[in-house]
Amino acid sequence: MSGTLQQFQLLMQEIGPAVDSDYAVPEGETPAEIWKLTLGDAYTVTFQCLPEKQSFVLSVPLGEAWSPGHYRTLLTYNGLYEETGGARFGLNGDEVVMSIELPLHELSLDDLQNVILNFASTLPAWREFLRSSPGEIEPPPATEPIASGVRV
């Protein structure tokens, strides 16, 4: 097992209790490059290790964007990656996915815990925004960096 994958495995084994979740679960056999962590009843965060980049991606599906206004807002938000600490939106089929890529080197358990909690705190507002009619609800501001203190 590579050093990057080994470091990722250790973080995944420790992160569940650190964020008040029971545990992170590997997808497939270990050592697994994909793990899932359930936050409350509403969100499942997928962690995917990218050993060749010595990083990993956190991602959460949020629902469908159904209007040009939604897509415009999401694309604008993508351009604010420096202000958001690297958070971005993409599509998986018709579903909007919010994600952030983090470096594995120099990332402590406390750093990852803060990123997950910051990431999770924005999810309800984004889901509500995607369910609304354009102009009905403002998207969350891009002023709070999700990966505060972590070089993305």
Side-chain angles (χ1 to χ4, degrees):
M1 176 173 13
S2 74
T4 299
L5 189 53
Q6 185 175 23
Q7 184 180 4
F8 177 71
Q9 298 289 319
L10 291 173
L11 273 174
M12 292 298 95
Q13 290 167 355
E14 296 174 349
I15 197 58
V19 293
D20 294 328
S21 182
D22 292 334
Y23 49 85
V25 179
E27 289 256 314
E29 296 181 27
T30 55
E33 291 185 9
I34 297 176
W35 288 63
K36 300 217 182 234
L37 175 75
T38 301
L39 298 174
D41 295 331
Y43 303 102
T44 299
V45 181
T46 299
F47 297 81
Q48 182 174 5
C49 184
L50 306 172
E52 67 284 352
K53 294 176 74 177
Q54 297 183 348
S55 65
F56 65 100
V57 175
L58 282 75
S59 62
V60 174
L62 295 175
E64 291 185 26
W66 52 272
S67 80
H70 288 128
Y71 289 112
R72 187 176 309 110
T73 299
L74 297 173
L75 286 171
T76 300
Y77 196 88
N78 280 352
L80 301 173
Y81 63 91
E82 289 179 345
E83 288 89 348
T84 66
R88 294 192 171 94
F89 292 95
L91 290 175
N92 183 8
D94 290 335
E95 187 152 41
V96 174
V97 177
M98 185 174 181
S99 64
I100 186 167
E101 185 174 338
L102 298 169
L104 264 167
H105 66 287
E106 300 176 18
L107 184 71
S108 71
L109 182 61
D110 287 340
D111 291 335
L112 181 56
Q113 178 182 2
N114 287 333
V115 169
I116 291 170
L117 294 175
N118 291 342
F119 189 73
S121 72
T122 68
L123 299 176
W126 281 111
R127 274 203 176 150
E128 185 177 353
F129 169 74
L130 290 172
R131 290 177 180 154
S132 70
S133 297
E136 179 182 345
I137 295 176
E138 290 294 315
T143 55
E144 287 295 317
I146 289 174
S148 181
V150 178
R151 280 192 271 148
V152 178

